Each structure stands twice: as C-alpha cells, then as structure tokens.
Amino acid sequence: MLEIVKPGLETSIQDFPGRVGYWNQGFPPSGPMDMWSFRLANLVVGNDEGAPGLEAQFMGPTIKFQRDSVIAMTGANMRPILDGQPIPMWESVAVGAGQTLLMGPAVAGARGYLAVAGGIDAPEWLGSASTFHKAGVGGLDGHAVRAGQVLPVKEAAGTPGRRVADRARPTFPGGKTWEIQAVRGPNDDWIDDAGHERFIETAWMLEARSDRTGYRLTGPDWTFTEKATNKAPEHGDFPSNIIDQGYPLGAVNLGGQTPIILMNDGPSMGGFICPYTVPSAGFWKLGQMKPNEYIKFREVSVGEAQKLRLALDETCTHDSIE
Amino acid sequence: MIYDEPRVLPGGDTFVLVQFGDDARIDLNFMALGLTAALREDRTKGVIDTNPSYNSVVVEYDPDLIGADDLAQELRRLIEGLGSVEDLELESRLAYLPVMYRDPWTKACVEDYAQRIAPRDGDPEFVARINGLEDAAQLARVHSGTEHWVVAVCSTPGLPLMVALDPRCAITSPKYNPPRTWTTLGAIGVGGLSTSIYTTPGPGGYNLIGRTPVPLWDTQARLPAYRDRVVLLDAADRVKFVPVELEEFEYIERRVADGTYAFNITGYQRFSVRAYKDWVASLDPSERF
C-alpha cells in the first residue's frame, strides 16, 4: 500500500501499453509518455513490463509505505530520498513499512516513474488501468493521485539489489536540444519544399502550454502547396484546415500555423493536416522534454522507424536487468 | 474527388491513413465505413484499431505482426472486395434522441459568448436565416425531419459527427471564429454540413440550436443502454431527433438521473447504399418541411 503524502504535479497511475484499440470511440491510448523508462522500472522490480505504476511530472510525489516492499525509479532524475537517505535510480530498492520516499523536482528529464513489486492494484477499464482524466477513467478514480489517497498494491515479493544495465538506459541530451525522429505523412503533400526544409532545419521550441494531450511548438511559419490553398470550401478557411480526419498518435498536427504533436491523451480526430508523425520510438524523448527546450527533427522512413521500435522492444527485456 | 485508387499514407511506424477521396461527399464515408466493417470481419492479422471519418480511415497496426507493405496490400484487397459503393450494405442502428430546440441553456451559452468574446445573435435564428428558412421553428422542423448519418465518432468520448441523409433537410453554416471557450453539455451543434452533440462541456465552433437531456457515453454503466457499451453511437448508425418541450425534457432528465432512462434504438436494419440512392433520386430537392 502506497500512501500519498504529497501528490506532486499531476502524478498519475499508468500502465503499458495503455488503452489500445478504442480510438474509434474517442478514447486515446494514454499510458506512460516515456514507455522506455516505465517498462524498465517494472522489469527491474520483477513485474511484467506493463504493470500499473506511477508517472510523476516535473515535481515528484512524497509517498509513505504501509508495508515492506521493493520499488524502483526510472526516467527523470527526481533525486529520490528515503527517510533522509538518497537512494539510487534504475535499481530495485527494498523499503520498509513506515518509511517515506520523497521525490523532488526533476533535475534531468521531465517525467519520473515509480514501479512497485506486484504493481499498483488499479482496476482495468477497457483493458487498461491508465488514467485519462478528461473522461475520468482509469487509475483509482479517473484522476491524478491526491494527498491522503492510499494506493493498493498487489502482493509480490520483488527482488532488491538488481539494476538496469547502463547500456539499456535512455540518455538525455547534455544541452537543451533534442533530436527527435519524424516520418513524413500522412498529409505531407500539403506542404511545399521550402516548408519541408524549414521543418527539418528549425530548432522548434516547446511551449509551456504543453501536456499529455499535445505538445505545442514555436517556430517559423509554414508554407503550403496548392493542395492547401486551392481546395473545396468544406475543408475550412485556413491552409492547414482539412475535412475532419482521424489522427495518428504522434502526429505533428498543424493548427493554423502552430504545430502540435498529439500525445498519449490527445484527440482522435479533427480538421487540421498532419504533415509529419513522430514514430513510437521517439515518444520517450517527448516525455522527457521540458518547456523552453528545443526539438530538431530528423526525418526517417517508416522502415527505419519500425527498426527503432524493434530495438527499443529488445532493450526493454530481462536481458537488460543485471 | 473520388480517387481511382485509394491512397494509403503513412502515419509514423504504427498507423496508416487510407483516403478514398478529398472532399466530403457521403459516398467516401460509405467506402470508409465499408472498409472499417471489412477489417472487423476479416480480423486482419496485426490490425489493432480503425478510426473512420468523412473520407478516410486511420488504421493502427502492429508492425511485429504485419509489415507496412503487406498491410497496404491487405487493405487494397479488402477495398476491392467491397465492390462499388452502391453494393455496400452497412449495419446501422437507428437511435431516437430527444432534443429541445431553442432551449434556454444553449441560448445562455451563446449570450455568454456574445458578451465576452464577439457580438452574435441567436444561433438558431442565424442558421435559419442563412439557409433561407422562415424562422427557427422551421429550422427545428427541417433538422428533425431527417435521419442523420453518423459519419464518425471522435475526440471527446462518444462525440458523433453526423450529416443529414435527406437532402431536403440539409443545412450549412459557418463555424464560430474565434471558437467558444465552453459549450453546454448535450448541446446540438451545426457547422459546415454536419451536426454534432457536445458530449463534454469543452470549447467548440458549431452553432448551437438545441440540447438533448440524454448522455451519449457512460463509463459507469448506470443506464441500461450502457451495460455492454461505453458510447451510444457507432459510425454508420443513424439518429432521428425527436423534438420535446421543457416539461418532457425535465422528465427525461429525471429518468437519466435516477438511472431508469431507456433509449429508443432500433437494431434490425441494414443500410443499403443502392436503396438509399434510389430514394434520394426520387425526391424533389427543392422541397422543405
């Protein structure tokens, strides 16, 4: 049992891969934004990679353990402290009943993950325990955790003293710029050559108004092909308007002139073009970016993106735990 | 335009967008929903989810189970198997939804917008005027005089995008600019050629012409209609709006609140595109109700 002393900033229960398969009813996948770190946190405490755990954003929670347990923290470094003593990240650590874990502000990365042996015992809804607060579903009560709440944990022994191999951990960039993959499409033919060049050359700044729904980027204006400027009126007034279409997860969605990357809790459909899509292997980076940092996009093919996905899957296995 | 060959466009490493054409003619939606049904029936290996809209379907897939080229090939095979659009027969339920046209709540929402954001007259009167209708009462007659085709269900849970099936009842209207910051829950909105129902009280751009007292989604399975589903409507369902006055509206609200409201949904019909088109061809489109 985890007693939430302080909730941190929108700390929520998530599982992997989330609520997959319900786009057509308007439910997004949700799930952890940095799935790489999340899966490894589970594996190192001895859980299945997908077991429900906590995602903390920017500012971690304070948690009191009501019974002996084994935990691990991965992702953003929130300098975890157990009863006054710093404890390592990326390792499974035994905690005793009555001990208090303090996770602070993220000093590197943005989202920290806490896995507990057995996993948080949250009910599955549409096949997932992931919190989607806009619809009030998932987690314990459909929302971020609150002070005073007690999160039940499934019984499991867990093994302390194991660690995620150094080679298997994601590395955050030294500076403020993240290189993130992007695949052309589905609506790339609405952007002219100069627009495509600008997309790749620009360091796009992440706006503060970004969350699990979408990441808003600041950069130069877009330029369009005839497809965008000379079209049937039912598409809408702006060059980036298109007759409502479904959106891929990770789409770089062009609302007017502002690109918004559609994230785990994002909309399933709308009336704006998506000239690029961030592939699944690029998502963890988005999850670990902070506002006012920059993205440089690197164009990859669908095939390359699928290879990266496979490589990530191969990293998130027991072979990476030592 | 309807493409001779549907386009299969990449959306990252796990999605493709299948486009049947580039405008909003309803044939394109029939094809999109035909493909959606075919994928469901075929249980195509590796296909995780489908998300149809006006002229396209987003397909989510697992590249561990099916490669991008194989998926495109499977999609083309299924599309070929659909035959011509007239051959399509789609599972389609008919839901009767109560609506109070010109209700006090959406009126207050529009007034709040007019006061805070941009000047604006009443939405039902505006929509009636630009569609050459006598008044808002005729708008209600026209809007409730047709079955509305559910083109897509999207974004906020259970939100249906619908178009009028009876061309004599088609209305068009521009969307708000700038958009509203909040919308009455259950508001009936019209924008472009479409009708929608606001299933959450969020922002929006459609003109508000009425309100329904019934929820279109329910995660708690409180109402009997939601025992085996989360959202009321699927794409390819049809909606007929049933005008009610305030007293009836409040009665239904109470039945919803105490968990006894029974939705009126007809479930035995299939929608034949050929029969529909034959019927449309027999109509005098200048008629209005």
Side-chain angles (χ1 to χ4, degrees):
Chain A
M1 313 279 256
L2 309 177
E3 182 188 336
I4 304 295
V5 180
K6 286 187 193 163
L9 202 63
E10 289 278 314
T11 302
S12 64
I13 297 171
Q14 302 291 341
D15 64 3
F16 171 84
R19 197 164 286 109
V20 173
Y22 297 94
W23 262 142
N24 56 17
Q25 301 183 19
F27 288 95
S30 302
M33 285 179 60
D34 174 0
M35 294 190 178
W36 184 351
S37 297
F38 181 89
R39 293 156 82 179
L40 288 171
N42 267 325
L43 291 174
V44 76
V45 297
N47 292 344
D48 288 340
E49 62 173 356
L54 287 180
E55 176 179 273
Q57 312 190 87
F58 305 107
M59 178 71 201
T62 302
I63 291 169
K64 190 170 176 187
F65 298 97
Q66 293 191 344
R67 63 162 202 245
D68 295 355
S69 193
V70 173
I71 61 165
M73 277 157 291
T74 61
N77 183 358
M78 294 182 165
R79 296 219 168 115
I81 292 170
L82 185 69
D83 277 358
Q85 293 298 316
I87 54 169
M89 306 229 341
W90 305 95
E91 292 183 22
S92 57
V93 176
V95 295
Q99 286 196 300
T100 299
L101 172 72
L102 196 151
M103 294 167 77
V107 289
R111 287 177 174 79
Y113 294 94
L114 173 71
V116 52
I120 295 170
D121 193 2
E124 286 195 356
W125 188 82
L126 295 183
S128 166
S130 285
T131 307
F132 175 48
H133 74 92
K134 272 185 152 182
V137 298
L140 285 194
D141 59 5
H143 295 280
V145 301
R146 296 184 316 271
Q149 215 170 23
V150 177
L151 315 182
V153 174
K154 287 186 185 156
E155 285 290 342
T159 314
R162 304 200 307 168
R163 63 191 298 280
V164 177
D166 291 334
R167 60 173 165 78
R169 303 178 188 183
T171 47
F172 304 162
K176 288 189 134 201
T177 304
W178 296 71
E179 185 191 271
I180 296 181
Q181 302 86 353
V183 177
R184 268 198 198 216
N187 308 121
D188 50 306
D189 54 350
W190 290 49
I191 301 299
D192 66 8
D193 289 345
H196 284 297
E197 264 171 49
R198 229 176 278 120
F199 177 73
I200 295 299
E201 281 167 7
T202 300
W204 296 88
M205 194 188 76
L206 181 65
E207 289 183 22
R209 285 183 303 157
S210 297
D211 57 20
R212 288 182 48 92
T213 307
Y215 270 32
R216 302 173 74 96
L217 307 181
T218 300
D221 275 0
W222 292 71
T223 47
F224 300 90
T225 59
E226 171 128 351
K227 209 159 178 161
T229 51
N230 182 14
K231 62 191 171 192
E234 61 257 40
H235 284 284
D237 298 336
F238 296 106
S240 70
N241 276 139
I242 189 168
I243 291 164
D244 280 26
Q245 62 176 4
Y247 290 150
L249 189 67
V252 178
N253 184 241
L254 200 53
Q257 282 284 0
T258 304
I260 303 171
I261 306 175
L262 303 179
M263 303 300 299
N264 302 50
D265 289 352
S268 62
M269 189 173 291
F272 294 112
I273 56 166
C274 307
Y276 287 86
T277 305
V278 174
S280 54
F283 261 64
W284 72 269
K285 294 182 183 176
L286 295 169
Q288 295 299 356
M289 279 189 75
K290 289 177 172 157
N292 300 319
E293 293 184 338
Y294 295 87
I295 301 179
K296 279 277 280 181
F297 288 103
R298 182 167 70 83
E299 192 185 328
V300 296
S301 67
V302 173
E304 282 175 84
Q306 290 180 340
K307 274 189 200 132
L308 289 166
R309 177 181 183 276
L310 204 58
L312 186 55
D313 282 346
E314 280 163 3
T315 302
C316 294
T317 63
H318 289 286
D319 292 344
S320 297
I321 308 299
E322 51 193 29
Chain B
M1 152 163 86
I2 299 180
Y3 300 141
D4 293 336
E5 280 280 316
R7 303 177 72 197
V8 180
L9 307 167
D13 56 335
T14 60
F15 293 87
V16 291
L17 175 73
V18 184
Q19 272 182 341
F20 290 92
D22 67 354
D23 56 32
R25 76 188 72 189
I26 197 165
D27 277 2
L28 299 173
N29 184 246
F30 291 150
M31 290 301 286
L33 297 181
L35 174 61
T36 303
L39 281 166
R40 196 166 43 226
E41 206 158 294
D42 187 68
R43 295 173 181 277
T44 311
K45 193 172 147 194
V47 170
I48 295 170
D49 201 0
T50 53
N51 190 10
S53 191
Y54 285 90
N55 58 25
S56 61
V57 188
V58 166
V59 178
E60 183 179 4
Y61 67 105
D62 181 345
D64 294 345
L65 300 178
I66 188 165
D69 293 340
D70 289 344
L71 176 68
Q73 208 175 339
E74 280 300 291
L75 291 168
R76 294 210 168 89
R77 180 181 68 82
L78 289 171
I79 292 165
E80 226 159 84
L82 296 177
S84 77
V85 66
E86 287 78 16
D87 294 336
L88 286 174
E89 286 201 1
L90 299 163
E91 296 288 339
S92 176
R93 300 172 309 152
L94 176 60
Y96 295 87
L97 297 183
V99 54
M100 182 176 177
Y101 288 104
R102 287 182 293 163
D103 65 288
W105 304 279
T106 59
K107 186 162 181 274
C109 178
V110 176
E111 281 168 2
D112 176 71
Y113 176 91
Q115 220 161 52
R116 291 190 304 115
I117 299 175
R120 191 172 187 88
D121 298 332
D123 282 6
E125 294 75 14
F126 166 72
V127 173
R129 191 170 64 242
I130 62 166
N131 281 278
L133 303 173
E134 279 163 33
D135 51 19
Q138 192 189 8
L139 173 67
R141 243 175 6 252
V142 165
H143 191 259
S144 63
T146 178
E147 289 177 0
H148 295 263
W149 177 255
V150 180
V151 166
V153 175
C154 71
S155 276
T156 57
L159 181 144
L161 291 173
M162 300 176 280
V163 295
L165 280 173
D166 187 333
R168 296 168 300 179
C169 296
I171 49 172
T172 57
S173 54
K175 297 172 192 172
Y176 277 47
N177 184 20
R180 278 184 308 278
T181 53
W182 67 277
T183 309
T184 316
L185 185 65
I188 312 295
V190 293
L193 278 163
S194 306
T195 290
S196 190
I197 302 173
Y198 286 85
T199 58
T200 59
Y206 282 24
N207 304 283
L208 306 181
I209 63 168
R211 188 181 183 211
T212 181
V214 301
L216 293 201
W217 60 293
D218 176 0
T219 59
Q220 312 295 324
R222 254 178 9 86
L223 296 174
Y226 292 104
R227 292 228 171 98
D228 58 357
R229 51 169 51 238
V230 180
V231 304
L232 189 72
L233 300 169
D234 296 325
D237 283 342
R238 288 159 297 140
V239 168
K240 186 83 164 60
F241 290 107
V242 181
V244 298
E245 293 306 320
L246 184 60
E247 195 182 332
E248 175 82 357
F249 186 99
E250 289 176 340
Y251 168 77
I252 295 169
E253 247 183 348
R254 287 195 296 278
R255 298 272 313 261
V256 170
D258 68 21
T260 60
Y261 180 75
F263 281 91
N264 183 354
I265 297 175
T266 303
Y268 58 85
Q269 295 159 324
R270 284 169 74 81
F271 183 89
S272 153
V273 174
R274 178 168 288 111
Y276 167 68
K277 290 193 156 188
D278 288 347
W279 174 72
V280 168
S282 75
L283 299 175
D284 171 2
S286 65
E287 261 179 5
R288 284 282 200 190
F289 295 121

